[in-house]
Amino acid sequence: MKHSLGAAAVAAALVTGAAFFSPFACAQANSQDSSPSTDDARPGAAATFGFIKDSSQGIYAGDILARVRAIGILPDSHASGSVLPSLGVSVNNAIVPELDFTYMILDNVGVELILGMSRHQLTSNLGHLGGVNVLPPTLLLQYHFNHAGKVRPYVGAGINYTRFWNSSLNAGGTPISIKNHSVGPALQAGVDIQISKRLFFNIDVKKVWMKTDTSLAGTDLGTLHIDPLIVGVGVGMKF
């Protein structure tokens, strides 16, 4: 729950930032258009804060954005069912690389595919339960604020498909069986900050809902909800 609240707070802050930067950028642009100066007419004239006048910069329909991030995966694990909640099962954090690609459908609207993999260890009141690999490709529809600016906040929503594999989960030597896939919603908020014509710095926060059903020797244990908050920083390139 605390990670969910953290995600909501970060997302709110980013959206608030977007609301600030976008009108400010537009105001700067309108001001410059209404009263052009000789400085503006020069090639390579200085850009106003938050807005790049050179239309070859920023992002536009048809652009492809590729990002590489280091992400921290912070599970908000909890259980439901008859047995699993009483075992106090928890899932450890992980830090892994992540790759994503965004295709801009419109100047402000893009579709992002996120790829990454992590391995998590599970513990309980009974001790260490083993580990499992998690492959969670996620598809998001994004809205980018201030698309022609240096500072470009965005928000996204979409769907996550999680594949669980290479599980070594067991209790007292008896294998714990898990459902090997999960489908759930995903939310996102982040910001791209222009460094050069094609290169940008990225901060990104996602909340992903994923779960798996568990059983031991044919006995249903319940459902483990992992629901991680994912915080990432990295760099991106525009193509």
Side-chain angles (χ1 to χ4, degrees):
M1 182 64 71
K2 61 183 179 182
H3 295 317
S4 301
L5 295 174
V10 173
L14 288 168
V15 172
T16 302
F20 170 79
F21 279 115
S22 298
F24 185 78
C26 293
Q28 291 285 353
N30 292 337
S31 174
Q32 294 296 330
D33 290 342
S34 61
S35 57
S37 67
T38 55
D39 288 339
D40 290 342
R42 294 198 314 268
T48 58
F49 177 77
F51 189 86
I52 302 173
K53 296 178 185 178
D54 183 354
S55 62
S56 68
Q57 299 190 52
I59 54 174
Y60 301 88
D63 285 344
I64 297 174
L65 312 177
R67 302 180 184 85
V68 177
R69 303 186 185 103
I71 60 170
I73 303 174
L74 313 173
D76 181 17
S77 54
H78 57 282
S80 60
S82 57
V83 178
L84 209 57
S86 65
L87 298 180
V89 178
S90 63
V91 183
N92 77 319
N93 300 340
I95 298 176
V96 298
E98 180 189 78
L99 178 65
D100 79 71
F101 298 94
T102 298
Y103 177 75
M104 298 303 297
I105 303 171
L106 304 172
D107 288 351
N108 292 98
V109 179
V111 176
E112 180 173 276
L113 176 63
I114 298 168
L115 302 171
M117 187 187 76
S118 59
R119 184 167 180 82
H120 296 271
Q121 301 297 317
L122 279 67
T123 57
S124 74
N125 297 336
L126 302 177
H128 183 242
L129 298 178
V132 61
N133 286 355
V134 180
L135 179 66
T138 304
L139 187 65
L140 296 153
L141 181 65
Q142 299 175 324
Y143 185 84
H144 294 252
F145 301 87
N146 190 32
H147 74 91
K150 288 182 179 180
V151 180
R152 301 189 297 268
Y154 59 84
V155 293
I159 189 168
N160 159 263
Y161 171 81
T162 299
R163 179 78 177 180
F164 300 99
W165 58 287
N166 195 20
S167 170
S168 63
L169 300 177
N170 70 90
T174 303
I176 298 174
S177 299
I178 62 172
K179 187 176 180 181
N180 63 9
H181 66 274
S182 168
V183 177
L187 296 176
Q188 177 188 45
V191 61
D192 291 326
I193 302 172
Q194 195 89 24
I195 298 173
S196 66
K197 183 176 179 179
R198 295 189 180 277
L199 187 67
F200 54 89
F201 176 72
N202 174 258
I203 301 173
D204 185 87
V205 178
K206 291 182 288 293
K207 178 66 179 180
V208 178
W209 284 264
M210 60 178 72
K211 62 184 180 181
T212 183
D213 296 327
T214 65
S215 62
L216 180 69
T219 301
D220 178 50
L221 298 178
T223 301
L224 177 63
H225 302 261
I226 303 174
D227 301 347
L229 175 70
I230 303 172
V231 181
V233 294
V235 293
M237 183 74 71
K238 182 186 77 170
F239 298 92

